[in-house]
Amino acid sequence: MPGEGLRDRKKRRTRAALARAAVLLAAERGLDHVTVDDISAAAGVSPRTFFNYFAGKEEAVIGPDPDAAARIAARIAAQPEDRSAAVVVRDTLLAEIADELADDPELCLLRIKVVHQHPALLTRLFAAGEETEQHMVAAVAARCGLSPHDIYPHLLAAAAGAAFRVAMTRWASPEGRRDPARLAELFIEAMDLVAAGLADPPHRSDEG
Amino acid sequence: MPGEGLRDRKKRRTRAALARAAVLLAAERGLDHVTVDDISAAAGVSPRTFFNYFAGKEEAVIGPDPDAAARIAARIAAQPEDRSAAVVVRDTLLAEIADELADDPELCLLRIKVVHQHPALLTRLFAAGEETEQHMVAAVAARCGLSPHDIYPHLLAAAAGAAFRVAMTRWASPEGRRDPARLAELFIEAMDLVAAGLADPPHRSDEG
DNA sequence: GGAGAACGTGCAGACACTGCAAATTTGCAT
DNA sequence: ATGCAAATTTGCAGTGTCTGCACGTTCTCC
């Protein structure tokens, strides 16, 4: 973060301002009634600059993080050796959620709300998840001593992504709590089920 | 299929013609150099009509099937009672692939080629997969005697989708065969791994 | 064969997005 | 400080996407 130069810091701020403006305006009027010009104006840059950062307003609302790949790889590499691959991936994603929610909780909630009102955005959000999965593959393969072409890392990453989406969807549904801890619970439950195998539904004796 | 009326048949043909034209033209010049006007002209309808069928040229290339939901539900319901949920889902998806490939193999291959050249399309394709997953949830839940709100059907569908995407990606990669049977093999392998649990990589003694 | 619905089409218009070149800002070495 | 090189912002022009609306045509059903 330090020694990063004024230039990079400014870019980061511009990107954040655009993403923030996109979410705020979309939450207020609905994404269909927000133009790129509106977002750019709210962020204090020209419309042309908007497209230097995002491919369109949908992407701005989702607000993908360019640094995610490096951070995820570092997180996977940093975990103790004695953990199963599934647990490593699980905890890495949990840490990512925690960080994202800690960074700006209100904006996150607003984003969820906007996504809820626009199924097309859900698709984009999941697509961003696919990206994240790809970033994990190499790190998982290295950790397990497998080739990046082996099917296992790909499957684990994809399955973790699936568990994450399911947890996210349930968390965002109207019923139930909607705090970070609850999301973590749901994701852990989902991930453990996947890691344990899904051939048949578990006979549940506990939980509600 | 019979007693369907001239109207529905015509709609089906128009949709197919548009989707076909989209794939053919995109394969020929690259999607960026194909306009909606081009596609519409090739299909023999007005540009305005194009948008009555597809939201944009990307969707036309992917060519989602409006009848998929009903067909999938029927397939799940039609399978013998004594199979595990995972196997039922697996075989349902296998049947879907087989049908799609049988319908027009060359077009399928071309579509794959086009998608390969346009990562944005990959995203769309996966998004279509998400739709399919949602369609399976209710049918799986009913079959297992679970509530559609239970997490198991959602997870199984999502995990199956993940396995399918991984299989698809590997199948479409340059190396290796690219016939329907190979795709089926890959998907079965992936699905069995997921169904068996992913906590740790399997120690492989067989296979290459 | 006629009422009514569904579909195709043309038009107008707002908006999305992209190249290009000029202007501005920043990094760095003198 | 000062000047040069690279990165970034910006305006502009132009193409293409997508939508709402109204009207003509085609099918369905009675």
Side-chain angles (χ1 to χ4, degrees):
Chain A
M1 204 79 94
E4 205 189 15
L6 199 158
R7 196 162 243 162
D8 302 277
R9 210 173 316 148
K10 222 174 174 182
K11 272 181 73 171
R12 196 183 301 275
R13 270 197 302 147
T14 301
R15 168 176 279 263
L18 283 169
R20 178 177 204 82
V23 172
L24 259 50
L25 289 175
E28 189 179 319
R29 326 175 195 163
L31 187 56
D32 304 329
H33 301 100
V34 177
T35 70
V36 170
D37 287 35
D38 295 335
I39 300 173
S40 317
V45 297
S46 84
R48 186 63 183 82
T49 296
F50 174 92
F51 289 106
N52 290 339
Y53 285 89
F54 299 103
K57 48 183 176 178
E58 298 195 349
E59 186 177 329
V61 169
I62 302 303
D65 180 354
D67 307 333
R71 203 174 48 239
I72 287 174
R75 276 186 163 131
I76 290 181
Q79 294 201 29
E81 294 275 346
D82 59 346
R83 298 192 172 184
S84 77
V87 169
V88 165
V89 166
R90 187 191 73 185
D91 289 354
T92 296
L93 287 180
L94 278 173
E96 282 289 313
I97 320 172
D99 272 19
E100 170 125 13
L101 277 168
D103 178 48
D104 191 336
E106 302 161 25
L107 195 62
C108 276
L109 271 295
L110 265 189
R111 184 178 288 127
I112 299 280
K113 177 183 164 190
V114 173
V115 169
H116 241 245
Q117 295 168 348
H118 291 267
L121 287 180
L122 200 58
T123 285
R124 294 287 187 124
L125 193 59
F126 288 175
E130 306 277 353
E131 288 250 340
T132 304
E133 293 172 22
Q134 296 317 307
H135 295 152
M136 292 193 304
V137 168
V140 169
R143 187 192 162 86
C144 297
L146 300 172
S147 153
H149 287 7
D150 193 285
I151 200 174
Y152 178 81
H154 288 270
L155 262 187
L156 177 56
F164 185 73
R165 285 194 293 277
V166 169
M168 187 89 155
T169 304
R170 292 172 77 77
W171 181 66
S173 81
E175 61 200 56
R177 289 153 48 209
R178 208 180 308 183
D179 52 305
R182 175 63 179 155
L183 175 55
E185 285 174 26
L186 286 167
F187 176 53
I188 291 175
E189 179 190 4
M191 192 66 201
D192 288 352
L193 271 172
V194 169
L198 284 167
D200 272 312
H203 306 281
R204 51 186 53 207
S205 44
D206 53 346
E207 158 121 40
Chain B
M1 200 82 93
E4 207 189 15
L6 202 163
R7 192 162 252 162
D8 300 278
R9 212 173 315 149
K10 226 175 176 181
K11 271 181 73 172
R12 194 182 303 275
R13 271 196 303 148
T14 301
R15 168 176 279 262
L18 283 169
R20 177 177 204 83
V23 172
L24 259 51
L25 290 175
E28 188 178 321
R29 324 176 196 163
L31 187 57
D32 303 330
H33 301 101
V34 177
T35 69
V36 171
D37 288 33
D38 295 334
I39 301 173
S40 316
V45 297
S46 83
R48 188 62 185 84
T49 296
F50 174 92
F51 289 106
N52 288 339
Y53 284 88
F54 299 103
K57 48 182 176 179
E58 297 195 349
E59 188 177 327
V61 170
I62 302 304
D65 180 354
D67 307 333
R71 202 174 49 239
I72 288 174
R75 277 188 162 128
I76 291 181
Q79 295 200 31
E81 294 275 345
D82 59 346
R83 299 191 170 183
S84 77
V87 169
V88 166
V89 166
R90 189 192 72 184
D91 289 354
T92 296
L93 288 181
L94 278 173
E96 283 287 314
I97 319 172
D99 273 19
E100 171 125 13
L101 277 169
D103 179 46
D104 191 335
E106 302 160 26
L107 195 62
C108 275
L109 271 296
L110 264 189
R111 185 179 286 127
I112 299 280
K113 178 182 163 190
V114 172
V115 169
H116 241 245
Q117 295 168 347
H118 292 266
L121 288 180
L122 200 59
T123 285
R124 293 291 186 122
L125 193 59
F126 288 175
E130 305 277 352
E131 287 251 340
T132 304
E133 293 173 23
Q134 296 318 307
H135 295 152
M136 292 193 304
V137 168
V140 170
R143 186 192 162 87
C144 298
L146 299 173
S147 153
H149 287 7
D150 193 286
I151 200 175
Y152 178 80
H154 288 270
L155 262 187
L156 176 56
F164 185 74
R165 285 194 294 276
V166 169
M168 186 89 156
T169 304
R170 293 172 77 78
W171 181 66
S173 83
E175 62 200 56
R177 288 154 47 208
R178 208 181 305 184
D179 52 305
R182 176 62 178 154
L183 176 54
E185 283 173 28
L186 286 167
F187 176 53
I188 290 175
E189 179 190 4
M191 193 65 200
D192 287 353
L193 271 172
V194 169
L198 284 167
D200 271 313
H203 306 280
R204 52 186 52 207
S205 44
D206 53 344
E207 159 125 39

